[in-house]
Every structure is written in C-alpha cells, then in structure tokens.
Amino acid sequence: MNRSTRYKVNPNVSVIRTSAQDIILTNMGKGREYHIPLDMFTLLSSFNVPVNVEQAISIYRNSNQQAQALEEAELLESIEELEKNDLIVLANVDVQMANSVAQSTNRFFNFNGMRMEEVINVGAHIPDTVAIIGMPFDHNVTNLPGSRLGPEYLRRHSRSIVPYGFPQVEVKGQHTEGVHLASKVFDCGDISGHVFDRNGRQQRQLEEIVRKLTLAKIKPVIVGGDHSITYSSLQGILSHKKIGLIHIDAHYDGGGTEQVSFKDIHHGNFMDGFLNERNLEHILQIGQRQRVDQEHVQAEKIDVVPSDELDIGRYLREGLPYYITLDVDVLDPSFMSSTGTPVPLGMHPKELMAILTSIREHDIIGGDVVEFLPSEHKVHEALLVNELLLTLISMMTKVDLS
C-alpha cells in the first residue's frame, strides 16, 4: 500500500445494520456482506473524504481516544485489510481538491475528525449522534430571499470559533466515556438540486431523511434556508414519535385559526400546519414580538413564554422530547441584521444563550437554525449564528463546552 496514495470508502459500500458490538456493511457492486467491529468501522469512516494513509490515521486518532495507544504498524495492517476487502478504493481526485477537503475546509467548526458523511452511514451506534444537514432553500419567503446561501456561508466562516485541539473534548457519562465530540457529529452536506417549485422534492427529501435519522435515534440539525423547512423536518419526526416544539422566533408564524395544506405552506404560516398533528403534543413559543391580535394566536397546545423569562425549563413537559427551531430574527437587529424580516426590540445574544442553557438537560431530539441571510460585510453575525449552532449541537450530544 502506497502511503501517499489517496483512498476513499468504496461508494458501493453502505451500512445495513448496527449494534453495540459490530457493524454490518454491504457491497452493492459485488453482492457481499461484511461484519466488522466498531473500531474497524471508525477507521473505515476516516476515508469518507479522499485521504492518504497518514491523514486517515490522524483523523482516526483524533476521533477515538483509545486509538492513541495503538501502534502505527497495527493501524497500517488494519487499513490493508480494508483495502483487501474492497471497503476502500483508490480515489482519483484532483490533488489540490483532496488536500482542501482533508483539511476540513468545508466542515462545520473545523472538527478535525468530523466526517462529511452520507446519511445512510451516520454512526447510529454512538449515543446522542448528531447529523448536520444543509437545506439551501428560500422559495417560501415573503420578503427578502438569500437564506438559501446560509449553509455554505456558515460552513466557510465556522472555523474561527473553535480552538485548536477541540476534538479532544471528552463526553461525560458511563456509556459514552472516551468518545469525543468529533466522533458524534457528522456533516451530511446539503439537500441540493435545482428548485422550480415552492413545496416539492427538496422538502419531501428532508422529511424522509429526518424520519430515517430519528428512527435510528440520530438527532438531526438542519441549517436553513427559510423557516418553512421546519414543517418538513418536523413531519419526518411526527410520523413515528410524540414530541414537543420549542419555537424561538420574533414571529408567531401562523394565525392559529385554521390548518393549511402542504402546498400552501410558507415561512410565515408553517405553524398552522401543526394544529391537528396529534403527535405534536406541546408548542412553546419564545421571543415573539410581532404586532398581531392575540386572539388569533391562541391554541390549546401552545404556551407563549413571557418576554422577560429566561429560565424556561419549568415550562417543558416531563418525559416529552423536544425539537428546537431557532429563527435568527429573534435577536435584536443591532446584533442580527442579516435576516429577511427583522423586528426591533429583540433579544440580546446572552439572553438567548441563557434560555438554551436552561433546557440543556432536557431531551432535545433535533433542531434547526433558519432565516440567516449571508453578507460579506457582516461576518461577525455569521460567527454568532455558528455559536448558536454549536450550542445546539453540544446540548444534543451532551457535551458541556463551558
């Protein structure tokens, strides 16, 4: 095996079942099935981007504390076994592009060990695994477009908020001791394609992906995109699970008086689509300050938190998992003007952080951050959004970053 040659996971290989002991893979091209131990699968995952042997070993060691003690010769032997069984193949890619990807230039927070990963291969065997999915969609806005550019822009500007060596943070807990944050978070890329209709294939894709992730006990974090994507994301969970929704926003995003059909959903009325959803048992609305007639936003399952309340843990229902949807316009425009529908007299970032901190011990099943409109002149606002994303991820992975 040439140490300078780049390899990647065989694109015909995918995960078909996982357990606490081993992973079952299939090679669709050859019709073969493999049973490999968890540590071998983690090593295989190091080749999810085109890397050479040394880069793969570095990624593996950063994402697995126990691998630090393994001799390089032992790891080389395991990698040769992966190649022999056709689980990794030669990567015929441009050298400059491969170097760029291997250095994590297109991954959130510059997790040196965090993998760009297809959804089907995300590590369901690791407790509190998070899958990040970009949703570059803004056909459902009623004011300024541009949030479709959010996922790519936030990736590009996410590296400066995490210090070198960040993957060495350890997860506390008897079942996850020794697992690093980087091994629990996967960036699955964007749901992409040319969009010619408002509510069509992209939203259905998101719904199905979230459904499969949550059935596998993987927690999705969706990066928008306009706020209508929350409807599709939640439908994926509501198809099989009872949950609550924490809606953090300057707007109510619905009148609360009538159900709307999927084809009529947009970023300002998606909440009305949940009125008759039995599996959505509780809605907690925080930060709303738009001027509306209050009688139009009343519904039995909705609680509106007072504007000066920062400790919202007591409003949550015991034993009910919650999904968090966070519209960046909940922040005051003096802190967050990069959004399509700003409203004055909003939250200070520290107030929002206090709210999130007050519920970090609760079971958060997934979440999204939406309505961010990138601007090259306001990079500081992108950094703030990334800090919010990192906070959500830390809550879901149970990693204390304080």
Side-chain angles (χ1 to χ4, degrees):
M1 171 174 282
N2 190 330
R3 294 169 68 106
S4 63
T5 301
R6 287 177 173 79
Y7 296 84
K8 65 178 180 180
V9 175
N10 188 330
N12 291 320
V13 171
S14 59
V15 176
I16 58 175
R17 192 160 67 252
T18 66
S19 70
Q21 290 75 37
D22 60 13
I23 313 294
I24 302 177
L25 308 170
T26 181
N27 186 329
M28 301 299 290
K30 294 190 174 183
R32 296 179 61 185
E33 188 175 283
Y34 309 86
H35 292 241
I36 66 174
L38 177 57
D39 58 346
M40 182 70 88
F41 177 75
T42 305
L43 179 60
L44 173 64
S45 298
S46 302
F47 291 93
N48 278 322
V49 294
V51 292
N52 62 33
V53 172
E54 290 183 354
Q55 290 169 329
I57 290 175
S58 175
I59 291 172
Y60 178 59
R61 283 180 165 159
N62 279 333
S63 62
N64 187 338
Q65 185 185 38
Q66 297 170 345
Q68 304 285 344
L70 296 178
E71 296 291 337
E72 184 167 311
E74 187 176 350
L75 292 175
L76 287 173
E77 184 178 343
S78 296
I79 292 172
E80 287 175 353
E81 187 73 9
L82 292 175
E83 183 189 28
K84 178 182 176 181
N85 285 287
D86 210 31
L87 291 172
I88 59 173
V89 295
L90 292 176
N92 297 315
V93 296
D94 177 77
V95 173
Q96 184 176 359
M97 185 193 85
N99 280 331
S100 176
V101 174
Q103 292 168 12
S104 306
T105 56
N106 196 36
R107 302 178 202 168
F108 276 103
F109 311 121
N110 198 24
F111 291 145
N112 296 327
M114 180 174 140
R115 283 88 69 185
M116 287 291 291
E117 176 64 288
E118 293 183 6
V119 170
I120 195 170
N121 289 332
V122 167
H125 53 286
I126 303 174
D128 299 313
T129 296
V130 167
I132 301 174
I133 300 170
M135 186 65 172
F137 178 87
D138 62 3
H139 275 234
N140 283 333
V141 298
T142 55
N143 193 26
L144 295 177
S147 59
R148 68 186 182 279
L149 305 174
E152 187 279 331
Y153 188 87
L154 290 170
R155 279 188 179 94
R156 187 166 16 122
H157 291 287
S158 66
R159 289 174 290 155
S160 65
I161 64 171
V162 177
Y164 179 77
F166 180 76
Q168 300 306 316
V169 175
E170 291 188 12
V171 178
K172 299 176 182 177
Q174 63 182 91
H175 300 299
T176 57
E177 189 170 340
V179 179
H180 297 141
L181 181 61
S183 67
K184 294 163 69 76
V185 185
F186 298 78
D187 185 351
C188 299
D190 293 340
I191 296 178
S192 59
H194 298 289
V195 183
F196 298 104
D197 50 359
R198 282 183 49 209
N199 292 316
R201 182 176 61 86
Q202 272 191 314
Q203 285 90 335
R204 292 304 187 191
Q205 277 185 302
L206 178 61
E207 179 181 339
E208 179 63 11
I209 287 172
V210 170
R211 185 183 73 83
K212 289 180 177 178
L213 287 172
T214 49
L215 280 171
K217 302 188 185 305
I218 298 166
K219 300 179 177 184
V221 172
I222 316 301
V223 184
D226 72 57
H227 214 158
S228 67
I229 69 173
T230 301
Y231 181 81
S232 298
S233 181
L234 273 180
Q235 289 295 345
I237 306 176
L238 293 171
S239 64
H240 63 90
K241 193 173 185 67
K242 293 183 182 295
I243 63 170
L245 172 65
I246 299 173
H247 176 208
I248 305 175
D249 198 328
H251 307 86
Y252 291 101
D253 289 338
T257 56
E258 62 177 304
Q259 176 112 5
V260 297
S261 65
F262 175 67
K263 68 180 179 65
D264 295 322
I265 290 288
H266 57 74
H267 78 152
N269 72 351
F270 74 91
M271 290 293 292
D272 290 336
F274 299 128
L275 290 178
N276 296 327
E277 289 288 346
R278 293 184 179 180
N279 277 352
L280 185 58
E281 295 190 340
H282 183 218
I283 298 172
L284 196 61
Q285 293 194 304
I286 302 168
Q288 284 73 20
R289 57 187 186 277
Q290 69 179 118
R291 290 187 174 88
V292 296
D293 187 339
Q294 288 298 310
E295 70 179 12
H296 293 309
V297 296
Q298 298 302 313
E300 186 176 341
K301 66 173 68 176
I302 298 177
D303 286 325
V304 180
V305 177
S307 59
D308 60 347
E309 180 67 81
L310 299 182
D311 183 3
I312 67 167
R314 62 190 181 90
Y315 291 90
L316 303 183
R317 296 185 182 177
E318 190 69 29
L320 184 67
Y322 280 80
Y323 180 101
I324 298 177
T325 179
L326 199 167
D327 188 326
V328 298
D329 68 21
V330 74
L331 295 168
D332 190 83
S334 62
F335 302 104
M336 182 58 58
S337 60
S338 300
T339 188
T341 51
V343 182
L345 304 179
M347 283 188 190
H348 190 286
K350 289 186 177 180
E351 292 177 311
L352 180 52
M353 286 296 183
I355 287 173
L356 295 176
T357 300
S358 74
I359 57 174
R360 70 174 300 114
E361 298 305 319
H362 205 87
D363 182 15
I364 307 300
I365 195 172
D368 60 57
V369 175
V370 296
E371 299 286 346
F372 173 69
L373 273 63
S375 169
E376 289 296 344
H377 303 293
K378 300 173 184 176
V379 175
H380 60 288
E381 297 187 359
L383 299 181
L384 177 53
V385 176
N386 277 325
E387 188 67 37
L388 294 171
L389 275 167
L390 183 59
T391 300
L392 284 179
I393 291 169
S394 74
M395 293 166 64
M396 294 180 200
T397 55
K398 306 303 181 185
V399 176
D400 185 0
L401 300 179
S402 60

